[in-house]
Amino acid sequence: MKRIGIADTTFARYDMAAAAVDELKKQGGGFTVVRYTVPGIKDLPAACTILFDLERCDIVIALGMVGRQPVDKDCALVADYGLQMAQVQAGKHVLGVMVHEDEATDEREHAINCYDLLFRPEALRKRAGTGQREGFADAGPVRVK
Amino acid sequence: MKRIGIADTTFARYDMAAAAVDELKKQGGGFTVVRYTVPGIKDLPAACTILFDLERCDIVIALGMVGRQPVDKDCALVADYGLQMAQVQAGKHVLGVMVHEDEATDEREHAINCYDLLFRPEALRKRAGTGQREGFADAGPVRVK
Amino acid sequence: MKRIGIADTTFARYDMAAAAVDELKKQGGGFTVVRYTVPGIKDLPAACTILFDLERCDIVIALGMVGRQPVDKDCALVADYGLQMAQVQAGKHVLGVMVHEDEATDEREHAINCYDLLFRPEALRKRAGTGQREGFADAGPVRVK
Amino acid sequence: MKRIGIADTTFARYDMAAAAVDELKKQGGGFTVVRYTVPGIKDLPAACTILFDLERCDIVIALGMVGRQPVDKDCALVADYGLQMAQVQAGKHVLGVMVHEDEATDEREHAINCYDLLFRPEALRKRAGTGQREGFADAGPVRVK
Amino acid sequence: MKRIGIADTTFARYDMAAAAVDELKKQGGGFTVVRYTVPGIKDLPAACTILFDLERCDIVIALGMVGRQPVDKDCALVADYGLQMAQVQAGKHVLGVMVHEDEATDEREHAINCYDLLFRPEALRKRAGTGQREGFADAGPVRVK
């Protein structure tokens, strides 16, 4: 039984975690969800470290919403660096960070990526180099050589 | 008995820690406060590490005031990165950093968040995705789907 | 037998890893490839740490494609910092990061560098100070003194 | 007997460390000074780590002078991040970094802060929230509520 | 017998390491040089960690040349942060990083600094506060007070 952590924030304007959990369950079984809500995005890196160290999670989906104020961009960058530290220190993945208020939602995509990393790495392998990207229509493969 | 560290600075123009302690006590009991004052915001990350390692704090509220000079913004960013390092290294939260001189005060909000993280995680869980943010009127939830 | 990790992403628009593996094999033998595909470039540092720690790789080639959106540049920088953390923590090299969509491809060059670092360090030594660079025609040595 | 490290650079245009040591001695006794001179400000973080790890210093005053060239600002930022790493890794304070050539000198203030952190934490506590800042006339407390 | 690591790159347009080794030998004996060439400047931090951990170097001179493209500046910054991590993690110095193509060469200065840090710390101490800087004519001491 794998343990999937979901870290979200009270700052977000809708329940991003519910959509992620919903999508995870559609993908199949074999996992438990540990949900952890923190005040804002800069609290997510510590939340991930806690989910890895104390809750023994195998992977974490971190769901933050970035505001429109100029200072929010700096917050998001600081949180992003913190999440890199958390991942490298734990040697485990954190997926799905920092949805901007004006971007399309992508919790479901991150949930699928999470499930694939844990249970279906060959699915990611098959999609390697196909231009799948977040928040925009897929660009599709270019022809090379 | 939980231990809550409060790190503040001599640089701030009023006693931010007093307001935070005051609010913490209103939330309930079950904790001791360890207060630690340092000269400026760039000293806060080491202060948090000391509060975690030597004072065995479970969480820290770090209260810094960012000045109006251009160089102050760089200082705040450096301090913020340092606080991410301190949190990820300790696997514990630091809350409430970097009030700008021209922002509304929010020590009380951080104190409540701190108390919730320690004693009432379900309270944060209930507020997840409700758009609660610092220093501005709450934006409120958006309708999705 | 050395172990070479290849981390790539589903975000890339063509199969960058295939070209790298192809070139590696042309250089000689003595190695096994461990391939690991993750969703995007910000997932590469954790992938490298996993390839070092769990897959016991001696070196990793990380292949990411950076998009044209302004936010993509920030992502690439965050990923780059994460890759520095992963390398310094493991004490091992990660090569070949972050091809921009409008740059010439250089998987083959990184594959050769990877092979040289593992098996032919004297080849790199001979090329030291010859102005070999990625994505542009080589500048060639300048005359000094 | 506490050990105070003083790290300075050959790059500075006057002997910043002498002023700091002078002020430290005025504050009282109970400490030994370990002085360590490095070439430039980017060498200060490693110097601090060496002063903590090999020289068993309890605190370090790092004295660097930042030049007027545009590249100097980047150097100062990099050094500043390195100093955060050094502090968080050691769990000890580094005080007083990065005087710009056009700022008023403040070695004495940092020396007093250093002495206070080691021997008179209550002195800092009393100054908390009084608006004391470096390199400018003190702003003084604002009236709140 | 001290061990001095010299990390350089194939990207540089002339053999920077040769000049550094040449100067080191002029300063005196008591050391062995371990040279390690990597493809580019972003590979230098891992090279330094390897020189510290596997080659047991006491200090490293890292010699990189930064190109004229805008992206090169970002690379140099990322490499610089990585070098701070490498130094703080190892508790040892890395000297002499990142010569820009349009700056005067300074390998010799870094070699002398390296020798001084290992064998003649009192020489650096005597130069403290004399305004010695890289790549420009020395500014000389200012008169204070």
Side-chain angles (χ1 to χ4, degrees), chain A residues 47 70 74 108 111 114 131:
Chain A
D74 281 339
R108 292 179 188 277
C114 172

Side-chain angles (χ1 to χ4, degrees), chain B:
Chain B
M1 194 66 114
K2 296 285 186 183
R3 293 171 71 81
I4 300 177
I6 298 194
D8 66 346
T9 69
T10 63
F11 177 93
R13 292 177 69 189
Y14 64 94
D15 191 344
M16 301 168 76
V21 173
D22 186 54
E23 188 63 39
L24 272 175
K25 288 185 181 159
K26 283 191 197 160
Q27 299 302 314
F31 64 89
T32 311
V33 168
V34 183
R35 185 164 172 186
Y36 185 18
T37 303
V38 292
I41 54 175
K42 289 200 288 189
D43 305 313
L44 287 172
C48 294
T49 303
I50 288 167
L51 286 166
F52 288 137
D53 291 356
L54 302 187
E55 296 290 339
R56 306 183 318 284
C57 288
D58 298 287
I59 195 168
V60 172
I61 301 177
L63 297 165
M65 183 170 282
V66 181
R68 296 166 197 270
Q69 308 295 329
V71 74
D72 291 328
K73 201 198 156 186
D74 282 339
C75 281
L77 265 178
V78 166
D80 248 5
Y81 283 103
L83 287 165
Q84 291 295 333
M85 293 177 210
Q87 291 177 82
V88 171
Q89 182 178 285
K92 292 176 183 169
H93 287 291
V94 174
L95 292 178
V97 197
M98 309 303 148
V99 179
H100 291 262
E101 284 190 326
D102 51 359
E103 276 193 331
T105 64
D106 55 2
E107 296 84 19
R108 290 178 189 279
E109 182 182 342
H110 289 301
I112 296 171
N113 285 334
C114 172
Y115 196 86
D116 287 349
L117 278 168
L118 281 184
F119 298 109
R120 296 183 301 220
E122 76 285 358
L124 285 165
R125 174 68 191 77
K126 274 182 202 155
R127 273 151 49 202
T130 55
Q132 309 219 350
R133 60 193 63 196
E134 306 159 7
F136 297 95
D138 283 353
V142 288
R143 296 182 185 276
V144 276
K145 237 135 284 167

Side-chain angles (χ1 to χ4, degrees), chain C residues 73 77 80-81 84-85 87-89 91-93 95 113 117 124-125 127-133 140-142 144, chain E residues 8-14 35-39 42-43 45-47 49-50 74 78 81-82 85-86 89 101:
Chain C
K73 201 199 156 186
L77 265 179
D80 248 5
Y81 284 103
Q84 290 295 333
M85 292 177 210
Q87 290 177 81
V88 171
Q89 182 178 284
K92 292 176 184 170
H93 286 290
L95 292 177
N113 285 334
L117 278 169
L124 285 164
R125 173 69 192 75
R127 273 150 50 201
T130 56
Q132 308 219 350
R133 61 193 63 195
V142 288
V144 277
Chain E
D8 67 345
T9 69
T10 64
F11 179 94
R13 293 178 67 190
Y14 65 93
R35 185 165 170 186
Y36 185 17
T37 303
V38 293
K42 289 201 288 188
D43 305 314
T49 303
I50 288 166
D74 282 339
V78 166
Y81 284 103
M85 292 176 211
Q89 183 179 284
E101 284 189 326

Side-chain angles (χ1 to χ4, degrees), chain D residues 4-25 31 33-38 44 51 60-65 95-96 99 105-112, chain E residues 124-130 144:
Chain D
I4 300 177
I6 298 193
D8 66 346
T9 69
T10 63
F11 178 94
R13 292 178 69 188
Y14 64 94
D15 191 343
M16 301 167 77
V21 173
D22 186 55
E23 187 64 38
L24 272 175
K25 288 184 180 160
F31 65 89
V33 168
V34 183
R35 185 165 171 185
Y36 185 17
T37 304
V38 292
L44 288 172
L51 286 167
V60 172
I61 301 178
L63 297 165
M65 184 171 281
L95 292 178
V99 179
T105 64
D106 55 1
E107 296 84 20
R108 291 178 189 279
E109 182 183 342
H110 289 300
I112 296 171
Chain E
L124 285 165
R125 173 68 192 76
K126 275 182 201 153
R127 273 149 51 200
T130 56
V144 276

